[in-house]
Amino acid sequence: KKEISELKQQVKKRYDFSSTIKGNSGAMKKVFAMIEKAVKSNITVSITGETGTGKEVVAKSIHYNSPRAKKPFVAVNITAIPSELIESELFGHEKGAFTGAVSRRIGKFEEAGEGTIFLDEIGEMDINMQSKLLRVLQERELTRVGGNGLVKIKCRVMSATHKDLADEVRKGNFREDLYYRLLGLPISLPPLRERGNDVLLLAKHFMDEYCAENDLGKMKLTSKAQNKLFKYPWPGNIRELKAVVELSCVMADEDVVDEEHITFT
């Protein structure tokens, strides 16, 4: 029990957005303000931003700083689940519902309980599945595949996408009614190239983190290395920056990272 309690505290500290989501730019200050509003409310949250901008980190930060922090956080990447299995994955199934269903299985919504379910890349969901999800969100209840009974759901819903869902609605790829059901409190994450000096702030954070995890002494960036990082457009955003910084630490011969140690793919 003591170990579980300590682990929960570590997780909560890890996703304390004031220390985990780094940024001093005006764009990020707006994001922090929206996160604070989300933490104080049970409103549905929709997070948008390019790939690699940290959408799941924001979702976890909201959950672990909210009253639901001690409840489960269940993340579902829609793109990682075959379309024919998505309904069973989300809503569960009864024994014998289909070939291979040898026992009852609860879905992600039930697994989340009174916690949070995070639907990542929601823009990739099949249009037919969208109608089933809409009904569950409207009625706050679901039916397992192959079952008849209704199961009440109590979890908070957060979603994320790199797509412009409003545009997807206009194109007929996303249901308008589901779009407004998921919209809730919208949080838009800026791409790294629009965050100014946050690039260097994050680079230092990732460098310190890497050194600590690998029992290395403190390392620092030369002015030329900083300039090289600052001028790069970062198409892969924060995820790319983290990978580049970690590789530069490996390539550096001593405790100084210079421009030749920084490589972009």
Side-chain angles (χ1 to χ4, degrees):
K1 287 181 179 179
K2 183 180 179 183
E3 184 178 359
I4 290 172
S5 178
E6 288 175 353
L7 287 171
K8 285 181 176 179
Q9 288 300 316
Q10 288 175 25
V11 168
K12 186 173 182 180
K13 184 178 180 181
R14 182 181 177 187
Y15 291 106
D16 177 3
F17 65 86
S18 62
S19 60
T20 304
I21 308 173
K22 302 289 183 180
N24 290 325
S25 61
M28 285 308 295
K29 287 178 181 178
K30 292 179 181 178
V31 170
F32 292 142
M34 295 298 278
I35 291 176
E36 288 179 351
K37 291 181 184 296
V39 165
K40 297 174 183 176
S41 168
N42 278 318
I43 191 172
T44 299
V45 175
S46 57
I47 307 167
T48 56
E50 294 179 7
T51 300
T53 49
K55 296 185 287 294
E56 185 169 344
V57 173
V58 168
K60 287 180 176 178
S61 296
I62 293 170
H63 172 78
Y64 287 112
N65 287 280
S66 76
R68 296 177 184 261
K70 294 182 179 180
K71 306 295 183 180
F73 177 90
V74 178
V76 184
N77 189 323
I78 302 300
T79 60
I81 306 170
S83 58
E84 65 271 17
L85 297 178
I86 188 70
E87 183 176 2
S88 171
E89 190 72 16
L90 291 179
F91 308 146
H93 62 254
E94 297 291 351
K95 180 179 180 180
F98 50 82
T99 303
V102 295
S103 61
R104 168 189 281 183
R105 182 188 175 194
I106 67 169
K108 297 300 184 182
F109 272 90
E110 284 186 81
E111 187 182 326
E114 295 181 7
T116 300
I117 187 167
F118 175 59
L119 304 173
D120 197 9
E121 296 301 350
I122 190 68
E124 304 295 335
M125 182 175 281
D126 176 81
I127 196 76
N128 294 320
M129 186 61 204
Q130 289 176 28
S131 62
K132 296 177 181 179
L133 175 61
L134 175 64
R135 183 194 171 280
V136 168
L137 297 180
Q138 285 177 332
E139 305 298 327
R140 300 294 296 177
E141 61 187 20
L142 58 83
T143 302
R144 300 189 192 101
V145 176
N148 296 312
L150 294 175
V151 180
K152 293 289 184 182
I153 60 170
K154 301 177 181 179
C155 59
R156 181 182 196 173
V157 178
M158 292 193 227
S159 63
T161 180
H162 70 280
K163 290 186 174 182
D164 181 341
L165 281 191
D167 188 47
E168 292 299 302
V169 169
R170 287 190 289 271
K171 292 177 180 176
N173 297 329
F174 203 83
R175 291 183 62 113
E176 184 175 20
D177 42 11
L178 179 59
Y179 168 68
Y180 287 115
R181 177 66 62 174
L182 289 170
L183 186 61
L185 178 70
I187 299 177
S188 178
L189 299 183
L192 188 55
R193 61 184 173 275
E194 296 178 6
R195 291 179 55 179
N197 286 326
D198 284 357
V199 171
L200 302 182
L201 183 70
L202 285 162
K204 183 180 184 305
H205 168 71
F206 290 139
M207 182 173 288
D208 290 345
E209 194 176 62
Y210 180 83
C211 291
E213 289 175 354
N214 291 276
D215 296 321
L216 301 174
K218 287 279 187 179
M219 301 184 76
K220 60 182 180 179
L221 292 160
T222 65
S223 57
K224 288 184 178 180
Q226 291 181 35
N227 191 48
K228 188 173 183 178
L229 291 174
F230 189 76
K231 288 184 175 180
Y232 185 66
W234 299 108
N237 291 292
I238 298 172
R239 187 179 296 135
E240 183 183 10
L241 174 62
K242 187 175 190 292
V244 167
V245 168
E246 289 181 350
L247 177 59
S248 72
C249 291
V250 174
M251 299 305 293
D253 297 321
E254 298 178 357
D255 60 351
V256 176
V257 173
D258 209 347
E259 59 179 337
E260 67 265 23
H261 301 134
I262 297 171
T263 56
F264 306 120
T265 55

Coordinates of all heavy atoms in Angstrom, one line a residue, residues 64 68 70 80 104 108 125 146 159 182 195 212 238 261-262:
Y64 N -4.2 14.5 -13.9 CA -3.5 14.2 -12.7 C -3.4 15.5 -11.7 O -2.9 15.4 -10.6 CB -2.1 13.7 -12.9 CG -2.0 12.3 -13.4 CD1 -1.7 12.0 -14.7 CD2 -2.4 11.3 -12.6 CE1 -1.7 10.7 -15.1 CE2 -2.5 10.0 -13.0 CZ -2.1 9.7 -14.3 OH -2.1 8.4 -14.7
R68 N -10.0 14.0 -10.2 CA -10.1 12.6 -10.7 C -8.7 12.0 -10.7 O -8.5 10.8 -11.2 CB -10.6 12.5 -12.1 CG -12.1 13.0 -12.2 CD -12.5 13.0 -13.7 NE -13.9 13.5 -13.9 CZ -15.0 12.7 -14.0 NH1 -14.9 11.4 -13.9 NH2 -16.2 13.3 -14.1
K70 N -6.8 10.4 -8.7 CA -6.6 9.0 -8.1 C -7.4 7.9 -8.9 O -7.3 6.8 -8.6 CB -7.1 9.0 -6.7 CG -6.2 9.9 -5.8 CD -6.6 9.8 -4.3 CE -5.7 10.7 -3.4 NZ -6.1 10.6 -2.0
A80 N -4.2 3.1 -33.9 CA -3.5 1.9 -33.6 C -4.5 0.7 -33.5 O -4.0 -0.5 -33.3 CB -2.8 2.0 -32.2
R104 N -16.1 -12.6 -21.5 CA -16.5 -11.2 -21.5 C -15.3 -10.3 -21.3 O -14.4 -10.7 -20.6 CB -17.5 -11.0 -20.4 CG -17.7 -9.5 -20.1 CD -18.5 -9.3 -18.8 NE -19.9 -9.5 -19.1 CZ -20.9 -9.4 -18.1 NH1 -20.5 -9.0 -16.9 NH2 -22.1 -9.6 -18.4
K108 N -12.6 0.2 -23.0 CA -11.9 1.3 -22.4 C -12.7 2.2 -21.6 O -12.3 2.8 -20.6 CB -11.1 2.0 -23.5 CG -10.1 1.1 -24.3 CD -9.0 0.6 -23.3 CE -7.9 -0.1 -24.1 NZ -6.9 -0.7 -23.2
M125 N -11.2 8.4 -36.8 CA -12.3 7.4 -36.6 C -13.2 7.3 -37.8 O -13.6 8.2 -38.4 CB -13.1 7.8 -35.3 CG -14.2 6.8 -35.0 SD -15.0 7.2 -33.4 CE -13.8 6.6 -32.2
G146 N -22.5 -7.7 -28.7 CA -23.1 -9.0 -28.4 C -23.9 -9.0 -27.1 O -24.4 -10.1 -26.8
S159 N -10.2 14.4 -25.9 CA -9.9 13.9 -27.3 C -8.8 14.8 -27.8 O -8.5 15.9 -27.4 CB -11.1 13.9 -28.2 OG -11.5 15.2 -28.4
L182 N -17.7 16.7 -28.7 CA -16.4 16.6 -28.2 C -15.7 17.9 -28.0 O -14.7 17.9 -27.2 CB -15.6 15.8 -29.3 CG -15.9 14.3 -29.4 CD1 -15.1 13.7 -30.7 CD2 -15.5 13.5 -28.2
R195 N 7.2 29.2 -31.0 CA 7.3 29.4 -29.6 C 8.6 30.1 -29.2 O 9.0 30.1 -28.0 CB 7.2 28.0 -28.9 CG 5.8 27.4 -29.0 CD 5.7 26.0 -28.3 NE 6.2 26.1 -26.9 CZ 6.2 25.0 -26.1 NH1 5.8 23.9 -26.6 NH2 6.7 25.1 -24.9
A212 N 20.5 13.2 -16.1 CA 20.1 12.6 -14.8 C 19.8 11.1 -14.9 O 20.1 10.3 -14.1 CB 18.9 13.4 -14.3
I238 N 8.2 19.0 -30.5 CA 8.9 18.7 -29.3 C 9.4 17.3 -29.3 O 10.5 17.0 -28.8 CB 7.9 18.8 -28.0 CG1 7.5 20.3 -28.0 CG2 8.6 18.4 -26.7 CD1 6.4 20.5 -26.9
H261 N 27.7 18.5 -33.1 CA 27.1 17.4 -32.4 C 25.6 17.3 -32.6 O 25.0 16.3 -32.2 CB 27.4 17.4 -30.9 CG 28.8 17.5 -30.5 ND1 29.3 18.4 -29.6 CD2 29.9 16.8 -31.0 CE1 30.6 18.2 -29.5 NE2 31.0 17.2 -30.3
I262 N 25.0 18.3 -33.2 CA 23.6 18.4 -33.5 C 23.3 18.0 -34.9 O 23.8 18.7 -35.8 CB 23.1 19.8 -33.2 CG1 23.3 20.1 -31.7 CG2 21.6 19.9 -33.5 CD1 22.9 21.6 -31.3

